[in-house]
Amino acid sequence: MKSTSMKQRIIDSAAFLFNTKGYDGTTVREIAKRTNCNVANISYYFGNKEGLLEYLVSSYLEGYLAIIERAYIELDSRSSRECLLLAIRGIMNYQKENRHLTRFVLREITLDTTLIREIMTTYLTKEKYYFQAIFETGIKQQEFSHIPIPYAIMQLKGMLSMPYLHPQYMSEVLHIMPYEMYVTEQYSREIEKWVNYTICVHTQKAIDTFTPIPVNI
Amino acid sequence: MKSTSMKQRIIDSAAFLFNTKGYDGTTVREIAKRTNCNVANISYYFGNKEGLLEYLVSSYLEGYLAIIERAYIELDSRSSRECLLLAIRGIMNYQKENRHLTRFVLREITLDTTLIREIMTTYLTKEKYYFQAIFETGIKQQEFSHIPIPYAIMQLKGMLSMPYLHPQYMSEVLHIMPYEMYVTEQYSREIEKWVNYTICVHTQKAIDTFTPIPVNI
């Protein structure tokens, strides 16, 4: 019990420090100090700093993928549109619950480091597989229009990552608090509009039946 | 003439090195070596490395803002939708023409450094002003639906920056080459669909008159 909690405390310290001082700017000694443990404890669980980084990124991405996989599995019983919306809501919540790690991982992905590249490729290839299956099913069942799938994935990922890549921009320029519940919810609804109006087949009927979204300028 | 070309060569070397080795990982000596000049030349034009960084970011953002400003000025003679599409096309082209700098600046913006924060806030506040004016005019003239403007700006910026924040992801996972002309064009068209279907007021007439976009999966 004690050792599990030590491990988790190391993870939390590392996530915080990597995020505020950068991976390169953080030493194992500092992580130990913040955790109030010995450097040897960190070596025991994670080997070295690289091991800790790998663990952080992998466990984050596993949780992230689990959400998209759940939406993908729902393709058996729900419409593609519902599955896509499930994935979007799930990702937005997961990101919000893990905001320090989300910010760190999203920024790490923008770098081209050898350490990260392999992990990324593995997880992001699975992510692509699930998204692609949802989009393909939607197109096949004539629920989605004939969108070029890789571009739709890019748009979606660009929109989803924005609040975590640019929190200062949001708070200081747009004056919306990136991690507030109502902001996350409103932003999810806006991404859903993209699904409803841009991705879905445009029939007047479909447009009429979408619930109007409250204005909030 | 000679001195102008020296200045430009220093800029190019710095953009390349900052982008590949990171700002912190690059020394003035390395920039001088790559430029084939003395460290004193760099001091003469830019003071120090910080000065060079400020210059790079500022001049990049000035060019970037000029494009959005041009679209904003067109509000006098064109529809809001056309102005927004002009801005999108212009930004995509500008980013493509300056891809090293775009990648560097977009990544810098994700960091919360004191040096950058002020420059960013100034330029990005102007950027917001232009976008907001375009959206507000569109809403007022009932061309755009009642979108919450800050969220629309976030979505737009998220989509526009995606190819430059994640070029490896695009090439290695989605198998599309981020800097190819046809990719940029197709991606612009997909963002335009978001404008046409999600931002614009949904009337059957409007939807019918949009030119269908060729499928390219």
Side-chain angles (χ1 to χ4, degrees):
Chain A
M1 197 60 201
K2 194 166 169 264
S3 68
T4 317
S5 112
M6 165 83 79
K7 192 180 174 188
Q8 189 54 50
R9 274 163 48 218
I10 295 170
I11 291 167
D12 294 342
S13 306
F16 177 83
L17 289 169
F18 287 169
N19 205 25
T20 46
K21 307 184 62 177
Y23 174 73
D24 288 331
T26 304
T27 64
V28 173
R29 195 170 292 275
E30 286 169 313
I31 300 169
K33 198 181 163 197
R34 197 182 157 85
T35 316
N36 202 13
C37 73
N38 294 316
V39 169
N41 297 118
I42 298 179
S43 309
Y44 173 75
Y45 292 114
F46 305 102
N48 51 19
K49 198 171 74 163
E50 283 200 0
L52 190 42
L53 175 65
E54 267 191 55
Y55 182 88
L56 280 185
V57 175
S58 304
S59 59
Y60 174 83
L61 289 174
E62 265 164 32
Y64 171 82
L65 262 189
I67 287 163
I68 310 177
E69 192 183 16
R70 224 170 295 147
Y72 160 79
I73 290 168
E74 290 288 314
L75 277 177
D76 288 339
S77 49
R78 289 168 187 250
S79 73
S80 308
R81 175 175 161 269
E82 281 174 315
C83 292
L84 189 53
L85 297 182
L86 265 181
I88 291 169
R89 284 278 163 151
I91 292 167
M92 290 295 284
N93 285 335
Y94 185 74
Q95 291 186 153
K96 195 167 158 294
E97 278 161 21
N98 301 278
R99 65 180 161 119
H100 288 292
L101 258 178
T102 298
R103 182 152 164 65
F104 176 69
V105 170
L106 285 175
R107 250 174 26 206
E108 275 302 304
I109 299 178
T110 68
L111 300 173
D112 188 18
T113 60
T114 334
L115 176 71
I116 288 293
R117 210 183 306 166
E118 267 189 56
I119 315 177
M120 292 303 164
T121 309
T122 312
Y123 286 105
L124 298 180
T125 301
K126 284 190 197 163
E127 180 207 35
K128 180 204 164 190
Y129 174 83
Y130 297 134
F131 275 141
Q132 188 162 315
I134 295 174
F135 281 121
E136 275 173 357
T137 310
I139 294 172
K140 209 173 145 195
Q141 298 178 345
Q142 300 186 312
E143 195 181 6
F144 294 165
S145 56
H146 277 279
I147 38 165
I149 296 174
Y151 295 85
I153 294 176
M154 278 172 64
Q155 287 178 288
L156 180 56
K157 281 173 67 75
M159 288 190 280
L160 288 169
S161 58
M162 181 70 194
Y164 295 88
L165 282 171
H166 302 289
Q168 286 91 14
Y169 169 77
M170 285 178 66
S171 55
E172 285 166 36
V173 180
L174 298 179
H175 307 297
I176 43 183
M177 295 304 115
Y179 309 127
E180 288 285 338
M181 177 65 92
Y182 77 93
V183 170
T184 315
E185 284 184 359
Q186 174 86 41
Y187 193 54
S188 295
R189 281 199 298 273
E190 295 308 315
I191 300 179
E192 286 174 16
K193 282 204 227 170
W194 170 77
V195 174
N196 290 339
Y197 297 127
T198 305
I199 298 301
C200 287
V201 166
H202 316 286
T203 61
Q204 192 60 46
K205 187 171 161 286
I207 288 171
D208 288 342
T209 52
F210 293 136
T211 322
I213 281 94
V215 185
N216 183 7
I217 298 174
Chain B
M1 197 60 202
K2 194 166 169 264
S3 69
T4 316
S5 112
M6 165 82 80
K7 192 179 174 187
Q8 189 54 49
R9 274 163 48 217
I10 295 169
I11 291 168
D12 294 342
S13 305
F16 178 82
L17 289 168
F18 287 169
N19 206 25
T20 45
K21 306 184 63 178
Y23 174 72
D24 288 331
T26 303
T27 64
V28 172
R29 195 170 293 274
E30 286 169 312
I31 299 169
K33 197 180 163 199
R34 198 183 157 85
T35 316
N36 202 11
C37 74
N38 293 316
V39 169
N41 296 118
I42 298 179
S43 309
Y44 173 74
Y45 290 115
F46 304 102
N48 50 18
K49 197 171 75 163
E50 284 201 358
L52 189 43
L53 175 65
E54 267 192 53
Y55 182 87
L56 280 186
V57 175
S58 304
S59 59
Y60 174 82
L61 289 175
E62 264 162 35
Y64 171 82
L65 263 190
I67 286 163
I68 310 179
E69 192 182 17
R70 224 171 295 147
Y72 160 78
I73 290 168
E74 289 289 313
L75 277 177
D76 288 340
S77 49
R78 289 168 187 251
S79 73
S80 308
R81 176 177 161 267
E82 282 173 315
C83 293
L84 189 53
L85 297 183
L86 265 181
I88 290 168
R89 284 280 163 150
I91 292 167
M92 289 296 283
N93 285 334
Y94 185 73
Q95 291 186 153
K96 195 167 158 295
E97 277 161 23
N98 303 277
R99 65 182 162 119
H100 289 292
L101 257 177
T102 298
R103 181 152 164 66
F104 176 69
V105 170
L106 285 175
R107 253 180 16 211
E108 275 302 306
I109 299 177
T110 69
L111 300 172
D112 187 18
T113 60
T114 333
L115 176 71
I116 289 293
R117 209 182 308 165
E118 267 189 57
I119 314 177
M120 292 303 164
T121 309
T122 313
Y123 286 106
L124 298 181
T125 301
K126 283 190 198 162
E127 180 208 35
K128 180 202 164 192
Y129 174 83
Y130 296 135
F131 276 140
Q132 187 162 316
I134 295 174
F135 282 120
E136 276 173 357
T137 311
I139 294 172
K140 209 174 144 193
Q141 298 177 346
Q142 300 187 312
E143 195 181 5
F144 294 165
S145 56
H146 277 279
I147 39 165
I149 296 173
Y151 296 84
I153 294 175
M154 278 172 64
Q155 287 177 288
L156 180 57
K157 281 173 67 74
M159 288 190 280
L160 288 169
S161 58
M162 180 70 194
Y164 295 88
L165 283 171
H166 302 290
Q168 286 90 14
Y169 169 77
M170 285 178 68
S171 56
E172 285 166 35
V173 180
L174 298 180
H175 307 297
I176 43 181
M177 296 303 115
Y179 308 128
E180 289 284 337
M181 177 64 92
Y182 78 92
V183 170
T184 315
E185 284 184 359
Q186 174 85 40
Y187 192 55
S188 296
R189 280 199 299 274
E190 295 307 314
I191 300 178
E192 286 174 16
K193 282 203 228 169
W194 170 78
V195 174
N196 291 339
Y197 297 126
T198 305
I199 298 301
C200 286
V201 166
H202 315 287
T203 61
Q204 191 59 46
K205 188 171 160 287
I207 289 171
D208 288 342
T209 52
F210 293 135
T211 322
I213 283 94
V215 186
N216 184 6
I217 300 173

